[in-house]
Amino acid sequence: MAVDAPRRTTIAGFPLSYVSLGTLAVQNAALILVMHYSRIMPLVDNKRYYTSTAVFLNEVLKLSIALVIALYDTASNMGPGVSSSELVSTLATQVFSGDSWKLAIPAALYTFQNSLQYIAVSNLDAATFQVTYQLKILTTALFSVTMLKRSLTTKKWVSLVLLMVGVAVVQIPTGSSGDDPKKTTRDVSHAEMNKSVGLVAVTVACAISGLAGVYFEKVLKDSTQVTLWVRNVQLSFYSLFPALFLGVIIKDGAAISHDGFFTGYNWVVWTAITFQAVGGLLVALVVNYADNIAKNFATSISIIISFVVSVWIFDFSITINFLLGMVIVLYATYLYSSPDRRPSSMPSNPTAEYREPNVDTDEERAFYDSERTPALAEKAS
């Protein structure tokens, strides 16, 4: 079949599916590690950067990338000889179609989620954040059941219970962090991190991730079908407004006007912003050239990478609670993602089987929808 051709593509002799999977695993781990370090590293000119500016620049970069690729994709579909004005006009018509405003809600939710991630990595070590953030699988499943009226198999419910148990085990205090179990010590700057604040932030971020993803899917079912990259342009465009007005202006406006927009910035901060912006592109490669199970496998690898690097660089204390909880979470993720067994008497019908997408980003949600919708997939190819 034609869809199998890209999966056989190789880079330097290695299947592109393995290359994209490995790249995504490294990117997932590196993003959290770099974000965490950017929040605990020594101050730049005695200043710490404002996370609202990083969230806004992340959306600007994502919008720029999506615009470039959407323009190229639209030009390819329109054929040779098209003028620049016609190209821009056609893309603008697609981006600002009659139902595009519906994406403003998930876009705002994703922006809030990104802000909460910065709060979480500022108060949790990278390894704990990575493990706890897998609760997004639980929230996505619960919102799918309540909002989309989907049913989950017994195996999936068991995996969700195991997921909660694993995350809970990771959070059990060992009594080695001082008199106040809520406080830990930052590895580099030796300032205090508030673990309770971090756990609340990551939990709310997981809830928002599930709500936004399921709401996005619900909107797409009733909306005009456009290409993947037009969808990403729409999401990034509508994300600019809450990131700018609620974050940069309202939340940190006074401080930014005094200190400057780029106060506290260095190459570490720019690296974190870039990793976050391009992460969705890597996810799209994994889903395209591998499958969703492989994507979750990459997530599991990234958890292990974050754990190892945290021990090596950030002097993360290894405890039996964390190791046990991490193993349970990894197994729960595998169990949830693995395909359900079919009775031998039942004919296999891949088009009728629902696979929980378990997406993390707006780009991945858009790409997953394009895979499920033939008309959209045909336009995006």
Side-chain angles (χ1 to χ4, degrees), residues 104-114 116 205 208-209 211-213 215 239 242:
I105 295 178
L109 291 174
Y110 282 125
T111 303
F112 187 34
Q113 174 194 340
N114 291 338
L116 288 171
I208 293 176
S209 175
L211 174 61
Y215 180 84
S239 296

Side-chain angles (χ1 to χ4, degrees), residues 112-113 116-117 133 136 139 200-210:
F112 187 34
Q113 174 194 340
L116 288 171
Q117 285 181 343
Y133 195 57
K136 65 184 182 293
T139 59
V200 170
V202 72
T203 302
V204 176
C206 289
I208 293 176
S209 175

Side-chain angles (χ1 to χ4, degrees), residues 186-237:
R186 286 187 176 177
D187 313 88
V188 178
S189 64
H190 301 289
E192 288 185 333
M193 293 192 299
N194 192 318
K195 187 175 181 180
S196 297
V197 172
L199 291 177
V200 170
V202 72
T203 302
V204 176
C206 289
I208 293 176
S209 175
L211 174 61
V214 173
Y215 180 84
F216 188 21
E217 183 178 351
K218 190 177 181 66
V219 168
L220 290 181
K221 286 183 175 181
D222 302 325
S223 63
T224 304
Q225 293 176 357
V226 295
T227 66
L228 159 70
W229 296 110
V230 169
R231 218 37 113 183
N232 289 330
V233 171
Q234 292 172 333
L235 281 167
S236 298
F237 174 77

Side-chain angles (χ1 to χ4, degrees), residues 331-347:
Y331 177 71
T333 303
Y334 163 78
L335 186 65
Y336 188 86
S337 306
S338 60
D340 297 321
R341 292 184 177 180
R342 294 178 175 276
S344 58
S345 59
M346 292 181 61

Side-chain angles (χ1 to χ4, degrees), residues 67-77 87:
L67 269 175
V68 170
I69 301 179
L71 282 170
Y72 176 81
D73 186 52
T74 302
S76 300
N77 292 334
L87 178 60

